[in-house]
Amino acid sequence: MTTHEPLAADEAVAVIGMAARLPGAPDLEAFWHNLRDGVESVSRFSPQELADAGIEPALYEDPRYVAAAAVLPDIERFDAAFFGFNPREAELLDPQQRLFLECAWEALEDAGYDPPRIREAVGVYAGASMSTYLLANLYGQRALRRAVGDYQTMLGNDKDYLATRVSYKLGLRGPSMSVQTACSTSLVAVCLACQALLDEQCAMALAGGVSVRVPQRAGYLAEEGGILSPDGHCRAFDAAAQGTIGGNGAGVVVLKRLADALADGDPVRAVIRAAALNNDGAAKVGFTAPSLERQAAVVVMAQTLAGVGPDSVTYVEAHGTGTPLGDAIEVAALTRAFRAATGRAGFCALGSVKTNVGHLDAAAGVAGLIKTVLALEHRQLPPSLNFTRPHPQLELAGSPFYVNARLADWPPGPTPRRAGVSSFGIGGTNAHLVVEQAPEPPAGAPAPPCQLLVLSARSPAALAATGERLAAHLRRHPGQSFADVAYTCQVGRHAFAYRRALPCRGREEALAALAAGLGAVSPEAARARPVAFLFPGGGAQHAGMGRELYDAEPVFRTEVDRCLELLAPHLRDLGVDLRRLLYPAAGDEGPPLTRTATALPALFTTEYALAKLLLSWGIAPQAMIGHSLGEYVAAALAGVLSLADALALVALRGRLFERLPAGGMVSVPLGEHELAPLLGGELALAALNAPTLSVVAGPLAALAAFEAALAARGLETRRLHIDVAAHSPAVEPLLPELARFAATLELAPPRI
């Protein structure tokens, strides 16, 4: 077994998104802060709180009663309309199912995916704890049950429908199955999802679990020799460990084959090198007891599948329930597994998330995985809480392990930072993952300096809250690529009815724009503001136009390359490289883009590619209009001409212009009636752009005299970048040849 064997990207699975709701942590960032700072998110209840929760005094006054639990707040809050539930359906739905559905949506958003826009098959593997909501809240409401029927009540609360409800509500079409293996449920779900991905049953998968017991504000009776802690603390691996404590929460990870994630530019948060499952069988003292032999076997299996040696694993997120028997068997099993291939001592840290948030039952394993991924990302090992000295039965001295009791840097080594994650279920189903830090992302293409930040929500209030959250994220993550943030907002978020769009040159402009609180655009206002594309004519072109888009936007680059390829036969006799004229190298100015034979094709190419880029972003015009050359672009986009024919016509027009004597065009701030007396016999009114803005065309000498006369009157003019007197009587000799070629082209009615 080697610690250096590389794993092919198509044999590993990437964690590309996560979401969690955990005690004391409504989101991943808060969860990491709690882990890092050693926060124990366990609540203590007063007698009044217990009485309000319906706990009998005879119970909570018992000396053995422990008034503590890891509580998940706001489980009664649910945006039913967001997921298409009516109020009665939402009332019947188990909070576990509501919570998991919300986490599934958030995890896909974290991965940069808008669920309705996903075209690949996405699998769902998940499990929940028993529905105490059904037993405690619904079962006694006979009138409600009679009104809706037992069938609908069952659909909203049975664990069988957890995964398939997510698939139905989010429109996911991969395998969808509920998983139930008691405490190891959610990590088993991750293992099954990994296998489905590697077997190509789906392209992406959601995996996780949820556990919410109601009422939450309730304690428990601690019994001697039982698994529940008599003091309300989980003291995993500690000499004073006497049991665990219950918790509530949910977690979801989004998984994808590593090769696909890298190819798609997904945010790889960590890599699962291998996942292994087994069962204890009958070789143990009882159904609920763990098996040292089988726990060791599942760890060895995972490391073997991953192609790694145990001495490369420097952290294990243990099952770690804090029971003397369970911890002792787990550490003994880990030691046996590691000792099969290494004699090193004290190099691998141990921890248990149960010391922070309690035992989450069906969600316990995924909570440990999410903790491990966050630790890999931050390159720190968070403390395992309530640890003073090791329990003597663990025999840690001389073993590969030590308990990580304080925040520590996770040092680099000869291999990527690597961890094991374990979860063991009552009944004997064991799961173990080998997880390692994500590979360094490849350098991206240069991003345009100006980015469009788009936000949307279902109401103005929600849109304002979305803007506040985004601003807070930008402040907390100053090193994150602003272009990546903008891209994710554009393609990885659902487009709801109320929207804002903010063009920003970087993070500071974005923060200022978000703070300005510009109002939302309502659906009615959006419908009242249709989009039109306007395409300019010759004179607007310049070297380098669209260069940033060509470097940063694949759609724009593809369309430019396509146009240049179609233009090549028409420009071959000119002896120029149009790409070099458009995008000159640094220090290489090249000839200016004033020659019509190259300027007009270059301008057409840029306008056409820009329009195709906007269309790829979903910006579709209701109408298009063009001036001069711009009319050809509009015609091609509307389907009047094929792209090849439009380019051939533009190239011919540019070559014909070069037969004309030297001329030019100038923009002047006067209207038609004011200009008429000033034009004389050689100049012509070429265009009326506005009531007091016109374009005059003619021979160069006459234009120069005209410009001087206007300057003497204090009027500023601007010469256009074109060397012919277009849109004037000078071009009439060219019309017959242009008309003969146009007559050979196949035309169609405009589609726009």
Side-chain angles (χ1 to χ4, degrees), residues 621-634:
Q622 291 192 359
M624 296 185 293
I625 189 170
H627 165 62
S628 186
L629 172 93
E631 294 179 89
Y632 295 82
V633 182

Side-chain angles (χ1 to χ4, degrees), residues 19-23 31 70 72 96 99-100 103 125-130 159 162 179-190 207-213 245-253 317-319 352-354 357-372 421-425:
R21 305 276 187 86
L22 298 166
F31 183 43
L72 188 68
Q96 295 182 116
L99 188 62
F100 192 81
C103 284
Y125 298 82
S129 296
M130 180 177 67
K159 295 184 289 188
L162 177 70
V179 179
Q180 298 304 146
T181 62
C183 320
S184 59
T185 290
S186 56
L187 206 65
V188 171
V190 173
V210 58
S211 181
V212 177
R213 298 176 181 87
I245 183 170
N248 301 274
V252 179
V253 293
E317 173 60 28
H319 189 61
S352 172
V353 74
K354 294 176 180 65
V357 296
H359 193 330
L360 302 186
D361 193 54
V366 75
L369 173 59
I370 290 172
K371 170 190 171 181
T372 305
V421 181
S422 292
S423 192
F424 309 131

